[in-house]
Amino acid sequence: MDEVLAAAGIVEWSRLGERPLCDACLGRLFGKLGHGHTNEARGIAVRGVSGARSGSCWLCEGLTSRYESLARLVARKLELWDYDTFLIGSKVDPELQAREESLWAELSLAGPEPIKSEVNREVGKRVCDLVHKEPSLTSPDILAIVDPSFDHVDLSVNPLFLRGRYRKLVRGIPQTRWPCNRCRGKGCAKCGGTGKMYPTSVEEILAAEVMRESGGTGHALHGMGREDVDARMLGSGRPFVLEIKEPRRRHLDLGTARDRVNTSGQVEVDAFVPATRQDVLAVKSDRADKTYRVLVRFASPVDEAKLKKEMSILEAQPIAQRTPTRVVHRRADTTRHRSVKRAEVLSTDGTVAELRVTAEAGSYIKELVHGDQGRTKPSLADQLGVACEVLELDVVDIHDEG
Ligand SMILES: [Zn+2]
Ligand SMILES: [Zn+2]
């Protein structure tokens, strides 16, 4: 406390005049000096040297004596929710903050603490004692914003994140909910009132049980890339993070949720594992190579030796891909440069061949095969001099770190 007293000793207290201050507001003028004390204790210590009057506080108008009741208000609101960690924020009257800053200037103070940070800390300590949960500065489950002027508390409930790998066993399902392109989700004759282009999606199948169990208000699926609607996703599956918005409950039976997904016959998940917002960034930023199985039909018969030779030529050079015709209506028309790591022929009868291709993230595989009217160069069709039709496409492996 010596540091605090020394600082209080050199303040020209006559400038404070007749304005009374409570202990906490007086101590907070030195709030960044001396560790391990409350501002109230600092205020009691410097009261004698300051000559500050006590009484109805000119600065906070009684706010510092209301932390306990504000904490009870927060605890009551939190009762309705399942959470492990919380954080307190506050809205402090701007006039109070202006009074505080003008006083710092008048008294030429070196280490005052703003009242907002005192409110957050002091209410937080008391909430901690009431609810027996831990505060978290970095990733609280719930952020409680206290407004002392109106005795009001707003909760901002952070999402629940679950990660895993999914397999899509059937064709014709988009990865995420796809709003109807005519009504944009409102429901119309084209979509039969569903508001959707497809009756379901990988996202909806993965989320259904978790939504029921958590009581969330919405969901989003973050995948490590996405397969086409007509492509299956096989092998060890695609990494994803499922985000459940405003969950009432966070402690779920994840094994049962997984089993329910796996009875769908359409989508399988290896497990739902608790995750964080950082995991979303990780799956979104991954540039993993992918391996595909492609079933292709040739417009005229192709000799097996020639097919193998042209496939190996595709491996050896960079591929330039203009945005495919099928997606250029919704994406910028640019050119991507990607490389094919491996291109093998699994089997062929001269007219239909099964190929296995490993390529960099972001490669357009259908276009690599059929050429997209010259927009992808080189392509298998160009190399062979024969038109190619992709009959089936599956993602069979994603070469991520996991
Ligand atoms: Zn005060
Ligand atoms: Zn519609």
Side-chain angles (χ1 to χ4, degrees):
M1 202 63 94
D2 293 349
E3 202 186 346
V4 174
L5 286 166
I10 58 167
V11 170
E12 279 190 57
W13 288 106
S14 58
R15 292 185 183 168
L16 180 61
E18 295 300 300
R19 293 171 287 188
L21 293 178
C22 67
D23 290 334
C25 286
L26 182 58
R28 204 171 55 254
L29 298 176
F30 310 96
K32 289 182 180 164
L33 306 176
H35 287 293
H37 303 286
T38 62
N39 286 328
E40 191 178 14
R42 287 185 182 87
I44 291 167
V46 305
R47 176 74 60 191
V49 301
S50 70
R53 289 179 48 205
S54 52
S56 176
C57 182
W58 166 81
L59 186 49
C60 74
E61 295 172 335
L63 170 55
T64 65
S65 64
R66 293 172 48 225
Y67 295 151
E68 187 65 38
S69 72
L70 290 170
R72 278 198 299 271
L73 217 57
V74 173
R76 210 172 310 138
K77 268 235 152 152
L78 287 173
E79 264 172 19
L80 300 168
W81 299 83
D82 174 19
Y83 63 99
D84 294 317
T85 57
F86 69 92
L87 182 63
I88 302 295
S90 58
K91 288 181 184 163
V92 173
D93 180 3
E95 287 181 31
L96 194 168
Q97 289 177 306
R99 280 199 298 280
E100 170 173 79
E101 285 169 26
S102 73
L103 190 60
W104 298 344
E106 286 176 62
L107 299 181
S108 310
L109 296 172
E113 184 192 22
I115 189 160
K116 189 182 171 70
S117 72
E118 179 179 298
V119 172
N120 296 349
R121 180 181 61 248
E122 294 297 331
V123 174
K125 276 197 284 195
R126 289 161 174 79
V127 171
C128 197
D129 290 344
L130 288 168
V131 302
H132 308 292
K133 301 276 169 87
E134 289 302 307
S136 164
L137 290 175
T138 49
S139 56
D141 289 339
I142 302 187
L143 173 65
I145 306 283
V146 178
D147 186 340
S149 309
F150 298 95
D151 277 345
H152 183 78
V153 177
D154 260 331
L155 297 185
S156 168
V157 178
N158 283 325
L160 172 67
F161 296 100
L162 297 171
R163 65 181 168 80
R165 302 178 78 101
Y166 75 79
R167 287 155 42 91
K168 187 175 102 186
L169 308 176
V170 296
R171 305 177 196 286
I173 302 178
Q175 187 190 50
T176 52
R177 191 179 181 278
W178 192 326
C180 170
N181 62 4
R182 182 186 289 174
C183 65
R184 295 179 187 275
K186 285 198 220 78
C188 68
K190 183 184 173 186
C191 59
T194 63
K196 300 188 288 189
M197 297 288 278
Y198 295 89
T200 190
S201 61
V202 174
E203 175 182 353
E204 287 158 278
I205 294 168
L206 287 175
E209 182 68 9
V210 180
M211 282 291 284
R212 234 189 324 273
E213 288 296 310
S214 66
T217 56
H219 52 76
L221 183 68
H222 309 282
M224 184 181 284
R226 60 169 66 210
E227 64 283 343
D228 293 334
V229 173
D230 59 1
R232 292 184 297 179
M233 175 66 238
L234 305 173
S236 60
R238 184 183 296 277
F240 69 87
V241 177
L242 178 64
E243 174 177 351
I244 303 292
K245 299 176 199 294
E246 301 187 294
R248 283 280 170 184
R249 289 172 297 280
R250 289 173 187 270
H251 299 88
L252 313 176
D253 182 349
L254 297 175
T256 299
R258 176 198 58 208
D259 295 345
R260 293 294 282 271
V261 171
N262 293 348
T263 60
S264 69
Q266 297 173 301
V267 173
E268 277 181 8
V269 61
D270 64 337
F272 286 116
V273 178
T276 65
R277 197 179 290 280
Q278 282 69 43
D279 293 313
V280 175
L281 298 178
V283 297
K284 297 309 272 185
S285 64
D286 191 273
R287 308 301 301 157
D289 294 345
K290 316 275 186 333
T291 299
Y292 301 85
R293 169 189 166 270
V294 191
L295 197 64
V296 56
R297 178 158 60 206
F298 306 117
S300 54
V302 172
D303 173 68
E304 181 169 359
K306 181 173 169 61
L307 176 60
K308 286 186 168 164
K309 175 171 153 265
E310 299 303 341
M311 285 287 280
S312 67
I313 289 173
L314 285 181
E315 269 181 19
Q317 51 188 318
I319 314 291
Q321 301 201 288
R322 269 185 74 185
T323 303
T325 319
R326 65 191 164 95
V327 297
V328 75
H329 64 280
R330 58 189 164 91
R331 281 197 205 151
D333 190 358
T334 56
T335 300
R336 287 181 181 185
H337 299 273
R338 292 291 188 273
S339 66
V340 173
K341 303 280 175 74
R342 285 200 78 178
E344 306 160 84
V345 179
L346 297 180
S347 68
T348 177
D349 66 5
T351 311
V352 173
E354 190 177 14
L355 313 176
R356 192 180 157 93
V357 176
T358 300
E360 282 184 295
S363 305
Y364 295 115
I365 301 303
K366 289 174 183 167
E367 285 67 22
L368 176 72
V369 172
H370 63 57
D372 199 20
Q373 292 144 25
R375 292 169 72 91
T376 284
K377 279 185 185 301
S379 67
L380 182 62
D382 266 0
Q383 296 290 123
L384 293 171
V386 170
C388 296
E389 182 191 359
V390 174
L391 300 176
E392 291 179 6
L393 179 70
D394 296 315
V395 185
V396 294
D397 212 351
I398 295 184
H399 306 274
D400 62 300
E401 295 297 308

